[in-house]
Amino acid sequence: MIYLGLHNSFQSGACLFVDGELIGAVTEERFNRIKNYHGFPHLSIDYLLDEANVTLNEVDKVVYGMVNDVTPDKKSLEKIMNIVTEGSSQSPCLKNKYIERVTSEANWNDRHLNELYDWAKENDLYEDLILVDHHESHAAGAYYTSPFDDALVFTCDGKGNYKSSAVYDANGDDLTLLDFHTTFDSIGYFYGNITKGLGFKPESHEGKVTGLAAYGDANNFKHITDRILSFDEESGKINVRMGRYHLPWFTDKLDTPLFYSSVAKFKKEDVAAAAQKAVEDVISKWVEHSIKKYKGRKTNICLSGGVFANVKLNQVLRELDLVDNVFIQPAMGDMGIPLGSCLVAMKNDGVCYHKFEESMALGPEFSNEEIEKYLEDNDINYLWSACVEKDVATMIEQGKVIGFLSGRMEYGPRALCNRSILYHCRDAKINDWLNERLNRTEFMPFAPVTTVELADQCFVDWKPEHACAEFMTMVYNVTDKFKDNCPAAVHVDGTARPQIVTKTNNPIMHEILTEHHKLTGDLALINTSFNNHEEPIVCDIKDAINSLNRNNVDVLVMGDFIVS
């Protein structure tokens, strides 16, 4: 049985399963080189079919998890009507805004579904379509690829199927929806509007806000965020208040002039800090309330949806007394929807794929023969390495910035050492000069990568069973030893966002780190994504060569070949 999962919205992409085997999962931006591409994933589909050596005609089921209907389902409609009725009675002037929120989402759903239907009809696949709820897709992607067999699953994003967050009970192979919030109470839109209000790009630069927050004082802007975002302990509901400070979409100054004028009066750092603290507080209370209500004991949690790209929030959730362990789907945003929707469809067909995915290396790879042919065909000078692990470790010790292309491309927003830029962690000024070299503006330092054997010397409260640390989805407080040894990877709040490498999840990188530690005593290396600012992470040999030619790196290592 062949399942093709796809989505055609923000961060579009595709996923393919053949006879229960995960063939691959990719994002369209990596192929067409358009960051966060919003459109149909033709190139992603072509790659996956070619990888599996199958044709589109052989696909049994096409699974779509962005939305499963134009209009809300019965439960969602009931909640929406209650919110609209109550809100309009309290603030009659907002009635049209409530209606606008629902109709705009219906129009969005209709547009994307029609594009899907047209493509399916053109390829004689309309009868093979399966539509899956957006948040169920997120939840399945998190739980069925986690190391847990019992958990509560939380999803949180901007919107999807008229929902913005949901909680599911997960036990064995069963996944059951317990409760949800509508788009009116979207934390994704709240944080996105803070991002936009600070002059950044929503759905892209939220990570900048998270990094900036560590420099600010939340108390200075708390009176504004408290007007917008809150949690009702009695009902267990997230409340995002509509009005002059907020509307549940990405607003501009004409929509919410009071919000924008308020932001302008305060330091950006303080605005970011208040927004970050508000999100941490509200989601923590929601998670704690849900665990008490639905589990009644300490439990594992799984997280997915774009809000859980917030690595500082994820640390706060891990440290809750009622949380045993945390797993965040590495492709936590909508780029993970094709994988999750396939998992739902397979489960419903009685073929549950439920196993921990130790690696997110699910995209294209290039053999030494392919690399050498490209270099020869394009008259590019190169060296062959008899031991690339030792050579990379030595070049980093010599102060070279390494562009590293190895194995299959990663799935998700993080570079996990298959498409990475590597450097040592001793130079704290690297966050200035390398970001400038890459045309980036960041407030969080570069992330460290280290081996599982060294991790407990680096990160406070890290445990080997913390699978999320293998995917750079959470920050940890760092040890004093790590602060002294790797200052370039430590944020102003004393945290770092690590990737922990084992001999099995990335044997080549594990050996590079081991060799570098032998040479220098360094506990970690810097790992940042191999790309220029506002460009997708490199995918293939040509992308990597182009990056080298733009002076993004000093040396390019691809397979067993070194180019400088």
Side-chain angles (χ1 to χ4, degrees), residues 12-310:
S12 69
C15 172
L16 190 70
F17 282 87
V18 176
D19 296 331
E21 178 187 357
L22 176 55
I23 301 299
V26 289
T27 308
E28 190 74 0
E29 67 166 23
R30 305 292 176 87
F31 299 99
N32 66 14
R33 311 307 301 158
I34 302 172
K35 181 74 171 175
N36 292 326
Y37 179 69
H38 188 143
F40 210 84
H42 294 290
L43 299 176
S44 299
I45 294 169
D46 290 345
Y47 159 72
L48 291 169
L49 295 176
D50 184 64
E51 182 71 14
N53 194 27
V54 298
T55 66
L56 199 54
N57 292 334
E58 295 176 83
V59 171
D60 296 291
K61 297 189 177 182
V62 176
V63 193
Y64 184 77
M66 284 306 293
V67 292
N68 60 9
D69 203 345
V70 172
T71 57
D73 59 32
K74 184 177 179 180
K75 289 183 179 180
S76 299
L77 181 60
E78 183 179 339
K79 287 197 176 192
I80 289 169
M81 290 305 297
N82 289 338
I83 291 171
V84 172
T85 301
E86 182 180 350
S88 298
S89 65
Q90 292 176 355
S91 303
C93 62
L94 289 174
K95 182 177 180 179
N96 289 337
K97 295 298 183 183
Y98 282 102
I99 295 171
E100 184 179 348
R101 171 64 263 166
V102 178
T103 55
S104 67
E105 191 158 347
N107 291 335
W108 190 98
N109 294 346
D110 186 56
R111 184 171 71 254
H112 288 81
L113 284 171
N114 282 332
E115 183 181 42
L116 171 71
Y117 295 153
D118 289 344
W119 173 85
K121 290 172 184 176
E122 288 173 6
N123 291 281
D124 198 26
L125 288 167
Y126 186 78
E127 298 300 322
D128 301 315
L129 284 177
I130 298 174
L131 305 183
V132 177
D133 178 86
H134 183 91
H135 282 264
E136 186 179 11
S137 296
H138 273 315
Y143 177 60
Y144 290 130
T145 62
S146 78
F148 309 142
D149 58 13
D150 181 82
L152 276 185
V153 185
F154 296 88
T155 66
C156 192
D157 61 9
K159 72 174 190 303
N161 273 111
Y162 298 91
K163 303 178 182 73
S164 61
S165 58
V167 55
Y168 293 77
D169 181 52
N171 185 268
D173 290 340
D174 294 327
L175 189 63
T176 306
L177 176 65
L178 299 171
D179 199 7
F180 64 91
H181 296 91
T182 72
T183 314
F184 287 108
D185 293 308
S186 171
I187 289 182
Y189 278 125
F190 165 77
Y191 208 80
N193 279 324
I194 292 290
T195 302
K196 188 174 182 180
L198 290 172
F200 302 122
K201 186 177 180 180
E203 292 190 300
S204 183
H205 294 161
E206 280 79 358
K208 296 180 187 292
V209 177
T210 305
L212 185 62
Y215 295 91
D217 184 347
N219 292 321
N220 291 336
F221 197 72
K222 183 177 184 293
H223 63 290
I224 301 297
T225 55
D226 282 352
R227 288 174 179 261
I228 305 170
L229 182 60
S230 63
F231 183 79
D232 188 296
E233 295 281 3
E234 186 175 343
S235 65
K237 301 301 181 185
I238 294 169
N239 296 313
V240 185
R241 185 182 178 188
M242 285 179 60
R244 294 180 296 170
Y245 289 92
H246 176 78
L247 292 171
W249 55 79
F250 296 128
T251 63
D252 55 31
K253 291 181 181 180
L254 292 177
D255 293 315
T256 52
L258 196 55
F259 167 74
Y260 277 89
S261 63
S262 297
V263 168
K265 294 175 184 177
F266 294 88
K267 293 181 179 179
K268 288 187 175 184
E269 296 88 341
D270 294 344
V271 175
Q276 179 67 25
K277 186 66 165 58
V279 168
E280 290 173 7
D281 288 348
V282 167
I283 293 186
S284 293
K285 290 174 182 177
W286 175 48
V287 168
E288 287 182 316
H289 178 93
S290 299
I291 293 174
K292 291 174 183 176
K293 181 176 180 178
Y294 300 118
K295 289 292 189 182
R297 56 176 169 79
K298 193 170 186 177
T299 192
N300 300 315
I301 62 173
C302 297
L303 310 173
S304 190
V307 169
F308 293 119
N310 191 313

Side-chain angles (χ1 to χ4, degrees), residues 365-372 375 383-389 391-392 395 402-407 417-419 508 512 541 544 556-563:
E365 65 178 331
F366 302 92
S367 66
N368 276 332
E369 290 75 19
E370 290 173 300
I371 296 168
E372 186 172 26
L375 296 173
L383 296 173
W384 177 78
S385 172
C387 184
V388 73
E389 296 87 352
D391 286 341
V392 169
M395 287 188 290
I402 307 296
F404 195 66
L405 186 151
S406 175
C417 294
N418 286 13
R419 303 290 187 277
I508 294 174
I512 290 172
I541 303 166
L556 173 61
V557 177
M558 300 184 291
D560 291 332
F561 298 93
I562 299 172
V563 183

Side-chain angles (χ1 to χ4, degrees), residues 348-511:
N348 291 341
D349 287 344
V351 189
C352 189
Y353 183 96
H354 185 181
K355 70 174 186 178
F356 172 53
E357 284 295 334
E358 193 172 16
S359 172
M360 282 288 111
L362 299 172
E365 65 178 331
F366 302 92
S367 66
N368 276 332
E369 290 75 19
E370 290 173 300
I371 296 168
E372 186 172 26
K373 184 177 187 305
Y374 184 94
L375 296 173
E376 291 283 354
D377 289 349
N378 289 275
D379 295 322
I380 298 171
N381 295 326
Y382 63 88
L383 296 173
W384 177 78
S385 172
C387 184
V388 73
E389 296 87 352
K390 287 186 178 181
D391 286 341
V392 169
T394 299
M395 287 188 290
I396 293 174
E397 192 273 334
Q398 294 170 347
K400 301 293 185 182
V401 178
I402 307 296
F404 195 66
L405 186 151
S406 175
R408 299 188 72 177
M409 182 180 68
E410 304 93 334
Y411 183 48
R414 312 285 190 232
L416 298 171
C417 294
N418 286 13
R419 303 290 187 277
S420 289
I421 292 174
L422 306 174
Y423 193 69
H424 65 74
C425 292
R426 299 188 298 274
D427 181 7
K429 294 182 179 180
I430 188 177
N431 293 292
D432 296 322
W433 62 259
L434 185 54
N435 273 323
E436 183 178 352
R437 189 167 171 178
L438 298 171
N439 298 311
R440 297 178 184 172
T441 302
E442 300 292 344
F443 305 104
M444 193 176 288
F446 294 118
V449 56
T450 191
T451 64
V452 67
E453 291 84 2
L454 295 173
D456 62 353
Q457 299 181 49
C458 304
F459 309 111
V460 178
D461 294 330
W462 171 84
K463 298 177 182 178
E465 58 266 30
H466 288 179
C468 59
E470 298 176 20
F471 302 103
M472 209 184 291
T473 56
M474 180 184 294
V475 297
Y476 286 78
N477 294 331
V478 301
T479 64
D480 289 340
K481 182 177 182 179
F482 187 82
K483 289 179 183 178
D484 293 338
N485 188 267
C486 300
V490 182
H491 199 22
V492 65
D493 63 357
T495 64
R497 183 188 67 191
Q499 178 191 358
I500 310 300
V501 172
T502 70
K503 291 181 179 179
T504 54
N505 68 19
N506 196 326
I508 294 174
M509 194 63 212
H510 185 274
E511 186 62 23

